[in-house]
Amino acid sequence: MLTSLKTSYTDTRAADLAWALGRDPLPALAVLDLELAGAKLQLRLLGASHQVLLEEESRSCSETVACLPGSSTPLPLGVSKRVGEWEYEFAARVETLTQGSFAGRAQELLALVADHPHGLAGTFPGSPHAFTAMLAQRHEGQVRWRTWHAYPQEGQLVVTRTRIGARMPASL
């Protein structure tokens, strides 16, 4: 699902993004509710930020990547921890691209997410390449999502990936 967000583009620097687990739902500009093999997942666009709410059986988890006032937890490169009975893994990276490469990458990602049944993307007024996009899936008992936060004025794309679910058996 692709939507045009009716808001000003306020989270304007990749370096301002912070990460948090367990936050209450924040006001969202766009929401996509999904059911993935018994897991209820809500993808939420918060301006140039995202929040994912997951519920399965009696367990729940929320992940927020946003400009969070008063937050002292910057966006980590990686997190691996237990959340109740689940294993949670988060990874983030920042891609710096030339203006031409950025435009092409933005078009590619928006096309990928726009028509995907488990995808949500929002574009911002003022720049055709200012967007936040999310894509979710269920694979081998785990829920996974990827996000892209575009900062065309800096030529930066923040890419995150999350995996949560039962511990994966060790490979032989």
Side-chain angles (χ1 to χ4, degrees):
M1 180 172 89
L2 178 62
T3 185
S4 295
L5 301 172
K6 309 288 189 252
T7 187
S8 61
Y9 189 60
T10 56
D11 296 352
T12 56
R13 291 185 48 225
D16 290 340
L17 286 176
W19 166 87
L21 273 180
R23 289 187 72 106
D24 289 334
L26 297 170
L29 300 173
V31 174
L32 179 63
D33 289 306
L34 299 172
E35 176 111 14
L36 301 174
K40 291 182 181 178
L41 193 66
Q42 188 175 76
L43 305 180
R44 303 167 59 82
L45 296 180
L46 319 171
S49 317
H50 82 259
Q51 188 172 49
V52 177
L53 307 177
L54 171 64
E55 290 182 24
E56 186 176 26
E57 296 172 5
S58 61
R59 300 171 289 206
S60 65
C61 179
S62 75
E63 173 189 277
T64 306
V65 172
C67 295
L68 301 168
S71 175
S72 60
T73 307
L75 192 64
L77 294 178
V79 174
S80 181
K81 65 187 301 176
R82 289 192 61 79
V83 176
E85 298 175 17
W86 285 328
E87 293 291 327
Y88 171 90
E89 290 184 12
F90 171 86
R93 72 177 191 279
V94 178
E95 297 177 7
T96 301
L97 305 164
T98 65
Q99 188 173 359
S101 295
F102 192 95
R105 183 87 166 115
Q107 290 174 336
E108 173 186 280
L109 290 169
L110 288 171
L112 170 72
V113 175
D115 294 326
H116 194 287
H118 301 146
L120 175 63
T123 57
F124 295 90
S127 171
H129 308 303
F131 70 92
T132 300
M134 308 170 73
L135 191 59
Q137 69 176 22
R138 178 124 187 170
H139 182 70
E140 296 180 351
Q142 297 189 327
V143 178
R144 301 171 184 212
W145 57 88
R146 295 182 294 167
T147 72
W148 299 270
H149 303 254
Y151 297 92
Q153 72 285 2
E154 296 182 313
Q156 292 188 324
L157 185 66
V158 177
V159 181
T160 74
R161 110 181 126 65
T162 301
R163 179 174 67 182
I164 187 168
R167 182 180 298 225
M168 293 294 291
S171 298
L172 297 178

